[in-house]
Amino acid sequence: MSRIGVFTCHCGENINGTVDCGKVAESARGVPGVVHSVDYKYMCSDPGQSLIKEAIREHRLTGVVVAACSPRMHEPTFRNAVAEAGLNPYLCEMANLREHCSWVHEKGEATTAKAADLVRVMVEKVKHDQPLQPIRVPVTKRALVLGGGIAGIQAALDIANAGHKVVLVEKSPSIGGHMSQLSETFPTLDCSQCILTPRMVEAARHPNITLYTYAELEKLEGFIGNFKATIRRKARSLDEKLCTGCGLCTTKCPNKKIKDEFNEGLATRGAIYVPFPQAVPNKPVIDKLNCTYYKTGKCKLCEKVCPTGAIRFDQEDELVTLDVGAIVLATGFKLMKTDQFPEYGYGKYKDVVDGMQFERLASASGPTAGAMKRPSDGKAPETVVFVACSGSRDRSKGVPYCSKVCCMYTAKHAMLYKHKMHHGKAYVFYMDIRSSGKDYDEFVRRAIEEDDVSYIRGRVSRIYEEDGQLIVQGADTLQNGRPVEIKADLVVLATAVQAQDGSEALAQKLHVSYDPYHFFAEAHPKLKPVETNTAGIFLAGACQAPRDIPETVAQASGAAAKVAGLFSRDELTREPVVAVVNRLPAPTFSYCVGCFLCQSACPYQAIEQEQIKARDGSVIRTLAKVNAGLCQGCGTCVATCRTKAIDIQGFSNEQIFAEIMTL
Amino acid sequence: MTGSPHPSAPSETLKAKVEQATGVKLNHCYQCGKCTAGCPVAQDMDLTSCQILRLVQFGDPAWDRQALQSEGIWLCLACETCSTRCPQEVAVPKVMDFLRAEAVRRDLAHPRSRDILAFHRAFMDSVRATGRLYEIGLVADYKVRSRHFLKDVMLAPRMLVRGKLPLLPHLIKGRDAMKRIFQRTLGVKP
Amino acid sequence: MRIGYYPGCSLLGSSREFDESTRAVAEAIGLELVTVPDWNCCGASSAHVLDHQLSLALPARILALAEAAGLTELLAPCAACYNRLCSARTELEADPAAREAISRIIELPYQGRVKVVNILEVLDRCQDRLKAKATAPLGRKVACYYGCLLVRPPRVVAFDRPEDPMSMDRLMVLAGAEPLAWNHKTECCGAAFSVTRTDLVARMSGRIVAGAAKAGAEAIVVACPMCHSNLDMRRPECNALLQADHQLPVLFITQALGLAMGLDPVRLGLQRHMVPALLQPAAAGAKA
């Protein structure tokens, strides 16, 4: 005998402003099986919840329907309240009168009638509800951090210091990321590598951190607390145990013409190389695409000179499988290159460089040892033009967003240039100055007031080269759009911050959402900035959106805190809304005929095969079996099953049809 | 002069008329100046493209008038450099076309537009009458309208000698249809 | 091989040599040009300044006539005509109501089935035939000048890149010439201001001529009658403003290709230019 309680919420005016909640409560009283029906202003509040709990005890309710907002909002709230009153929480359902009714219709009788129908349907469902128990799964207390820039390093250190194991995976041969390429950082003008390398070394030495460099994620399976990750450790062509990092091989490599990625193409490296002197690990790697031996079978000079015989040309990639409980995505960003600008020369002018290239020119470890020398002829540039907003805030280039960091680093670049060349002239073409962090605006004012950097408000229409100089055609909109033409020796484009190459593919591997620009999507823009919609996967740094270093470090620590929170429990509870294949006594065993259409349909690989065996060990039947740990309750298998042998707990076929028939 | 946005309905502003006629949304312009920076005649304009768009974007009738009365709108030669490079994809030449027509409609056209209008009207007169451009007719018509009787007077014989100046107009068969086309679009002969 | 042909008003008059050289080259490579019967003026720069509907109607009539004549593609050598035809076609393509309205105005059914191509596109398609016939390589340094209307706005004309285009340069390589890298390929020559603001044309075209000369060009190659007129006919005004005496000739692309194919310069209309252009291929040893 059903004894169901219906609780209709006004949600302030959100529902009651459009739906007559009193009428809804009254019509619910007339539904067979309903023994108690009330309405109240805020059901989710303490007194509201008490109403429900008292009613359960007083009227000996066997089921509860809360007609209110979306279950995505408050289902956990009401289920907890119901559990506290001693009723199985899965006997509590919500009818969505807000998102499905009051928010999408005009006030009127038809709307109230619809609300009453929604309630009636839910009552029908609850009548067929079974009490369910949550599923418990163990948590693997090891984290996987993808990306070894400042975000990944910070997250790894924080998780490791909380006492948990971390595997840090980095695609390039060394950790450090873009921060290691910077010359100085705003707003303090700290030497970037000086503040970064101690962290890099700490991460490499930390007993809880395993570092895999020159490695990438190959595959990911599983779910929160129970992921299985396969990492591909690319072959360095080196026995790391024997290599001492002496660097002799890198000096002897005859192939010296390869464009150096760390120096953004402004210098060259050999085929066997260490990306930069402070690399961690400080062990070289052979670039197989450009190495003479791998291409033609000749050379092997590095092998000959290596004092410890560490070179291994026959080394293969290694696949490592790991069990991890949580993943932190910290794969960073890429900077748009100058070849994306037709009006600035399609990247063919050597003296038109992007922000990162200027960092390398200014850096003491760069191709010019920090002296201001322009790439084309090595002459000191007497006039430098910095073009802010290059490619950002630009619908026509497909990048309508602001890249956040360029206003600050442009001011920094202009200051660095002026500090190195006191008599040089620096101009910045800008649209707005976005300097909202702590000490940021003062930093920009310093460039203008103390270092005599000339700021011109206007965009640059065209840059071309004539007589060894770059003609920059801009405008000064603060002088009514007056055209301004400057002959520069060097032009620095503050190009747009974009998502890292391969972000889309990685997101799909991880089943993580991403936005149209391939930045990974946070679970909620305001309140959940470090989580994704995929449970157990967290975000840190510029892979989510353009971001400066202080914010990246803060976000990385935030992600680490979430991971530590997850690892503070030994077990995770999962919703029992999962698929189940029915089981009957012998000789039927089940309606399942073993066609396994469900197995091919399941997007989560949650269906396995189970053999029913006779006493002598021979197989009588092979049936489908659902792995409750992997099942997400999507229902695809239920729709596919021809014999209706598989069903979802809490959303059974019987329940759905009962709901439909009552309408 | 201080400006106050239009007091009456937003749909009656010049900005709204521009959007309705050309599809260009002036609110997209964020006055970055890239159009003016690349405009080959910016240095000759009293009001540059950046300024003109800002004046119309604001929605003050006095500012609208200022834009319509400028010489700048007449100097635009539709080279499309601005629209090609505009980061917000604003079709500036379409706006200029509309402002020119509106300036003529409201009798606000700058005095120095006279010659430019005279040329274009002479050109179209020739097309209306014959279906094609009759260059001698164009020049004669232009000189009468503009009173620049002696302009390029030495050019004609040089062109004649090189066979570049047909003496007789070519009359297309669909001449009458041409007149009706003009009637339906440009309207009565200006 | 045949294609619809729309010469436009300037090709019958002030840029007659563009028509002559196009026909000569077409004949030499076996391309039949089928002129649109009873074609009218496309409206050029003047129609769109005066009335938007008129600027759509005039090109629409041409395209409707071409379609009625059974043509699927229309070659418009004049860059301005090409641009107006493309603009009208693009605007009418998006809006069926506009197509109906324009059909009523022009008294002809407009369906928008005819594609519009420019001279560089067509020559590019016929590369192999051109290469086969290019027996007298020009051997000269040339500056290819595209002007505005062949390459902008990029969504309407959509055939070569709007900054630093290369289609004409590639054709000049075929002709055995050396196309130079220079900075003024797509800057405006002054367009329709030839008569009403000759001072502006002198400055703008002067800049182009000076730029070509500075880059070491022996000739400027163009594909637009208006550009040709401004760079050639208005050369005295340019030189006066620049206080220089630049005599480098301005050739239409079809004239340059015609010379490389060994065609008679007079047939290509080279005697019609204001700046002397009877250029001999360098291999012949004689200079202009």
Side-chain angles (χ1 to χ4, degrees):
Chain A
M1 226 16 262
S2 295
R3 295 182 62 78
I4 299 185
V6 176
F7 302 86
T8 305
C9 183
H10 294 210
C11 196
E13 280 304 291
N14 261 316
I15 299 178
N16 203 40
T18 317
V19 167
D20 188 337
C21 290
K23 277 224 180 93
V24 171
E26 203 191 297
S27 88
R29 271 178 217 119
V31 177
V34 174
V35 300
H36 180 74
S37 174
V38 293
D39 61 292
Y40 184 67
K41 227 172 162 53
Y42 298 105
M43 244 355 137
C44 56
S45 65
D46 259 349
Q49 291 186 48
S50 298
L51 267 179
I52 301 176
K53 290 191 260 192
E54 278 154 26
I56 292 175
R57 292 187 202 107
E58 209 183 300
H59 298 274
R60 291 168 289 121
L61 298 180
T62 59
V64 164
V65 173
V66 181
C69 52
S70 163
R72 293 187 75 131
M73 201 71 218
H74 273 307
E75 189 174 74
T77 313
F78 295 119
R79 283 193 171 164
N80 283 338
V82 158
E84 274 171 30
L87 186 63
N88 184 292
Y90 296 96
L91 298 173
C92 167
E93 296 282 358
M94 284 185 74
N96 188 343
L97 299 190
R98 195 178 71 172
E99 281 86 337
H100 287 186
C101 195
S102 71
W103 273 3
V104 296
H105 296 303
E106 304 285 337
K107 185 173 177 161
E109 271 183 38
T111 308
T112 302
K114 175 176 172 177
D117 278 344
L118 287 171
V119 171
R120 207 174 67 240
V121 159
M122 267 312 148
V123 168
E124 223 34 59
K125 184 178 185 208
V126 170
K127 280 185 192 164
H128 297 273
D129 261 336
Q130 298 293 323
L132 300 170
Q133 297 303 321
I135 301 169
R136 296 194 191 284
V137 288
V139 176
T140 308
K141 294 190 193 185
R142 182 187 293 115
L144 174 64
V145 176
L146 294 174
I150 182 63
I153 291 171
Q154 184 65 44
L157 285 172
D158 285 344
I159 299 169
N161 285 333
H164 303 294
K165 297 269 180 244
V166 181
V167 174
L168 177 55
V169 175
E170 164 57 45
K171 184 164 73 170
S172 62
S174 165
I175 54 174
H178 284 304
M179 190 174 167
S180 61
Q181 290 176 289
L182 302 179
S183 142
E184 284 163 50
T185 57
F186 56 79
T188 49
L189 293 182
D190 272 313
C191 155
S192 184
Q193 288 199 359
C194 305
I195 55 178
L196 176 64
T197 45
R199 300 258 169 124
M200 285 165 60
V201 172
E202 200 189 333
R205 292 221 185 114
H206 202 293
N208 277 345
I209 299 179
T210 308
L211 192 58
Y212 290 147
T213 53
Y214 209 49
E216 287 183 64
L217 179 73
E218 179 89 351
K219 192 163 66 161
L220 184 73
E221 297 164 299
F223 57 100
I224 179 175
N226 297 276
F227 290 107
K228 188 146 78 175
T230 308
I231 310 289
R232 174 180 292 273
R233 299 186 65 193
K234 298 183 287 198
R236 289 178 106 102
S237 303
L238 195 76
D239 185 336
E240 287 179 66
K241 291 197 222 30
L242 293 176
C243 173
T244 59
C246 70
L248 193 58
C249 53
T250 62
T251 59
K252 298 291 186 199
C253 177
N255 186 350
K256 293 209 187 300
K257 293 280 174 58
I258 306 163
K259 273 205 183 309
D260 181 359
E261 297 88 345
F262 187 78
N263 279 308
E264 298 290 328
L266 294 175
T268 54
R269 58 165 174 78
I272 184 165
Y273 70 104
V274 173
F276 56 101
Q278 301 89 336
V280 170
N282 196 351
K283 305 250 160 96
V285 139
I286 296 186
D287 172 5
K288 285 188 185 177
L289 286 173
N290 287 303
C291 166
T292 310
Y293 171 72
Y294 281 108
K295 288 204 294 195
T296 65
K298 300 198 177 80
C299 187
K300 284 195 171 185
L301 200 56
C302 48
E303 190 183 45
K304 294 191 189 97
V305 302
C306 175
T308 57
I311 309 285
R312 294 275 178 279
F313 287 111
D314 54 356
Q315 194 180 67
E316 304 262 330
D317 290 354
E318 188 195 336
L319 288 174
V320 174
T321 317
L322 298 165
D323 287 329
V324 295
I327 299 168
V328 177
L329 268 177
T331 48
F333 68 96
K334 83 163 182 220
L335 208 61
M336 191 187 260
K337 297 252 184 300
T338 56
D339 61 0
Q340 297 298 304
F341 298 86
E343 68 274 36
Y344 301 159
Y346 288 108
K348 69 179 182 230
Y349 302 129
K350 290 208 170 78
D351 296 325
V352 175
V353 299
D354 64 46
M356 197 55 87
Q357 287 175 316
F358 186 80
E359 294 283 348
R360 295 315 302 150
L361 287 172
S363 169
S365 68
T368 63
M372 285 284 96
K373 288 186 186 162
R374 59 186 205 163
S376 64
D377 54 13
K379 279 214 277 246
E382 303 286 330
T383 305
V384 181
V385 169
F386 299 90
V387 183
C389 277
S390 292
S392 304
R393 301 177 65 186
D394 194 325
R395 235 185 203 120
S396 69
K397 291 213 175 19
V399 181
Y401 58 83
C402 165
S403 291
K404 198 166 191 184
V405 294
C406 343
C407 281
M408 286 306 294
Y409 80 59
T410 295
K412 178 188 76 172
H413 286 173
M415 283 205 282
L416 289 178
Y417 166 71
K418 289 291 289 183
H419 292 176
K420 291 173 200 273
M421 293 195 57
H422 299 294
H423 302 294
K425 274 305 294 168
Y427 298 93
V428 176
F429 280 99
Y430 72 102
M431 281 225 285
D432 294 290
I433 301 183
R434 295 180 169 181
S435 51
S436 46
K438 189 166 180 176
D439 294 330
Y440 280 19
D441 204 63
E442 295 93 314
F443 182 80
V444 179
R445 291 309 310 167
R446 186 177 144 194
I448 299 171
E449 292 169 17
E450 285 177 40
D451 291 319
D452 196 31
V453 176
S454 183
Y455 269 66
I456 306 169
R457 194 204 176 267
R459 279 211 191 211
V460 170
S461 178
R462 190 182 171 210
I463 301 173
Y464 63 94
E465 201 178 82
E466 196 169 69
D467 296 333
Q469 283 195 301
L470 294 154
I471 314 295
V472 179
Q473 292 181 320
D476 188 344
T477 62
L478 295 177
Q479 278 199 67
N480 291 323
R482 189 172 181 165
V484 171
E485 191 176 278
I486 301 181
K487 289 195 169 65
D489 300 307
L490 179 69
V491 174
V492 183
L493 302 179
T495 54
V497 169
Q498 295 182 295
Q500 189 70 275
D501 279 331
S503 288
E504 189 176 25
L506 182 60
Q508 292 183 350
K509 257 189 207 157
L510 296 166
H511 296 286
V512 158
S513 316
Y514 51 98
D515 70 11
Y517 313 108
H518 296 184
F519 287 111
F520 301 129
E522 61 286 326
H524 190 278
K526 286 287 199 191
L527 297 176
K528 291 190 178 178
V530 300
E531 297 158 80
T532 60
N533 269 322
T534 311
I537 303 186
F538 304 97
L539 294 171
C543 62
Q544 185 223 344
R547 182 155 286 132
D548 57 25
I549 294 168
E551 282 181 4
T552 298
V553 171
Q555 199 189 24
S557 294
K562 295 279 180 195
V563 171
L566 179 61
F567 290 178
S568 66
R569 291 167 268 174
D570 288 321
E571 263 185 349
L572 280 178
T573 51
R574 294 192 69 228
E575 285 282 298
V577 178
V578 292
V580 170
V581 181
N582 84 335
R583 286 286 185 271
L584 298 167
T588 321
F589 297 107
S590 172
Y591 293 150
C592 171
V593 299
C595 71
F596 293 105
L597 270 178
C598 53
Q599 194 177 46
S600 23
C602 177
Y604 302 99
Q605 289 111 48
I607 304 207
E608 296 159 356
Q609 299 191 353
E610 186 185 27
Q611 292 179 324
I612 308 286
K613 293 198 174 129
R615 256 183 256 225
D616 62 2
S618 61
V619 177
I620 309 176
R621 293 271 296 280
T622 309
L623 302 175
K625 181 171 183 237
V626 177
N627 177 340
L630 291 172
C631 174
Q632 300 291 315
C634 70
T636 308
C637 54
V638 179
T640 320
C641 182
R642 297 176 299 182
T643 54
K644 295 283 161 258
I646 195 166
D647 210 350
I648 303 267
Q649 287 178 166
F651 270 95
S652 67
N653 283 318
E654 198 191 348
Q655 282 176 304
I656 306 282
F657 278 105
E659 289 182 52
I660 296 170
M661 296 305 278
T662 202
L663 267 177
Chain B
M1 62 176 115
T2 51
S4 29
H6 205 285
S8 56
S11 56
E12 288 173 27
T13 55
L14 181 59
K15 175 159 84 165
K17 290 208 190 109
V18 167
E19 178 168 344
Q20 229 225 347
T22 65
V24 174
K25 294 186 168 60
L26 283 175
N27 281 344
H28 283 197
C29 170
Y30 49 32
Q31 287 84 47
C32 70
K34 195 164 178 178
C35 50
T36 303
C39 175
V41 287
Q43 63 196 109
D44 309 286
M45 289 176 162
D46 54 350
L47 291 180
T48 59
S49 51
C50 183
Q51 268 179 296
I52 290 168
L53 256 70
R54 177 61 189 150
L55 286 169
V56 182
Q57 189 190 61
F58 189 70
D60 178 318
W63 295 28
D64 291 342
R65 235 180 341 264
Q66 209 186 338
L68 293 169
Q69 282 171 322
S70 68
E71 189 194 354
I73 58 177
W74 295 99
L75 290 179
C76 166
L77 9 75
C79 74
E80 301 277 348
T81 305
C82 50
S83 58
T84 303
R85 295 183 184 155
C86 174
Q88 291 288 77
E89 298 176 332
V90 174
V92 180
K94 277 205 182 126
V95 178
M96 293 292 181
D97 266 350
F98 181 83
L99 293 178
R100 284 189 280 250
E102 185 74 3
V104 171
R105 277 191 289 269
R106 291 209 216 167
D107 202 25
L108 291 171
H110 192 281
R112 288 181 63 163
S113 68
R114 211 190 51 175
D115 284 353
I116 297 169
L117 271 172
F119 177 81
H120 292 310
R121 283 173 180 147
F123 196 126
M124 286 293 101
D125 272 354
S126 165
V127 177
R128 185 213 313 269
T130 70
R132 295 184 188 167
L133 173 66
Y134 172 45
E135 268 147 346
I136 292 184
L138 162 66
V139 171
D141 192 343
Y142 172 71
K143 283 180 192 263
V144 165
R145 285 179 190 261
S146 68
R147 304 208 191 291
H148 296 309
F149 294 111
L150 295 176
K151 182 150 198 340
D152 290 333
V153 127
M154 292 317 295
L155 207 45
R158 294 176 69 204
M159 286 177 72
L160 258 171
V161 153
R162 286 166 172 76
K164 283 155 106 66
L165 207 56
L167 287 171
L168 292 172
H170 182 105
L171 306 167
I172 68 169
K173 296 197 197 88
R175 265 188 333 281
D176 291 332
M178 195 57 49
K179 292 194 174 58
R180 287 194 292 277
I181 290 175
F182 271 76
Q183 187 76 13
R184 291 175 189 128
T185 54
L186 204 46
V188 178
K189 185 176 168 135
Chain C
M1 221 167 57
R2 69 202 290 270
I3 195 168
Y5 187 61
Y6 175 76
C9 308
S10 6
L11 265 70
L12 291 191
S14 50
S15 289
R16 198 165 142 193
E17 60 274 21
F18 196 7
D19 182 61
E20 289 172 324
S21 53
T22 300
R23 287 183 191 278
V25 170
E27 193 189 301
I29 57 173
L31 175 66
E32 190 196 336
L33 302 174
V34 180
T35 308
V36 178
D38 207 39
W39 57 267
N40 54 281
C41 172
C42 70
S45 327
S46 303
H48 75 82
V49 173
L50 295 178
D51 184 85
H52 184 67
Q53 280 291 82
L54 181 63
S55 79
L56 286 178
L58 294 173
R61 183 175 183 273
I62 298 160
L63 291 169
L65 288 169
E67 190 171 334
L71 300 164
T72 50
E73 266 194 331
L74 193 58
L75 163 62
C78 167
C81 303
Y82 165 72
N83 194 294
R84 293 318 313 167
L85 286 164
C86 281
S87 292
R89 187 176 182 276
T90 305
E91 195 174 320
L92 291 169
E93 191 170 41
D95 187 357
R99 288 200 289 281
E100 264 201 50
I102 221 76
S103 300
R104 268 177 274 134
I105 293 176
I106 62 176
E107 298 172 13
L108 286 167
Y110 177 81
Q111 316 247 35
R113 294 214 191 104
V114 179
K115 267 189 69 206
V116 183
V117 288
N118 67 44
I119 189 74
L120 297 175
E121 261 183 279
V122 171
L123 290 171
D124 181 67
R125 275 184 215 170
C126 303
Q127 268 190 61
D128 296 325
R129 296 191 202 195
L130 287 168
K131 225 190 297 209
K133 298 264 181 185
T135 51
L138 288 175
R140 298 261 182 206
K141 291 189 163 75
V142 297
C144 291
Y145 175 66
Y146 296 72
C148 313
L149 304 171
L150 275 175
V151 295
R152 295 191 292 268
R155 276 198 197 90
V156 168
V157 298
F159 111 91
D160 197 352
R161 53 190 205 181
E163 312 274 357
D164 193 25
M166 292 298 272
S167 48
M168 207 193 303
D169 294 63
R170 282 192 296 267
L171 288 169
M172 289 315 293
V173 167
L174 264 176
E178 187 192 326
L180 299 164
W182 65 304
N183 290 319
H184 308 273
K185 272 186 182 176
T186 57
E187 284 182 9
C188 186
C189 63
F193 281 162
S194 179
V195 174
T196 51
R197 287 296 299 264
T198 320
D199 60 318
L200 291 178
V201 169
R203 187 185 78 221
M204 293 161 76
S205 288
R207 210 170 121 95
I208 294 161
V209 171
K214 185 169 178 187
E218 296 171 74
I220 301 176
V221 184
V222 301
C224 168
M226 201 143 62
C227 300
H228 186 276
S229 170
N230 284 342
L231 293 169
D232 178 66
M233 197 173 79
R234 293 297 181 195
R235 183 65 62 85
E237 285 88 344
C238 296
N239 278 336
L241 186 65
L242 291 167
Q243 300 204 325
D245 183 34
H246 294 297
Q247 288 298 322
L248 61 162
V250 187
L251 267 62
F252 283 104
I253 179 68
T254 39
Q255 290 176 317
L257 283 169
L259 280 179
M261 289 158 79
L263 299 178
D264 174 24
V266 171
R267 197 169 154 221
L268 298 170
L270 281 163
Q271 76 287 6
R272 301 196 197 278
H273 295 202
M274 299 290 186
V275 177
L278 282 162
L279 197 69
Q280 297 298 320
K287 274 201 157 170

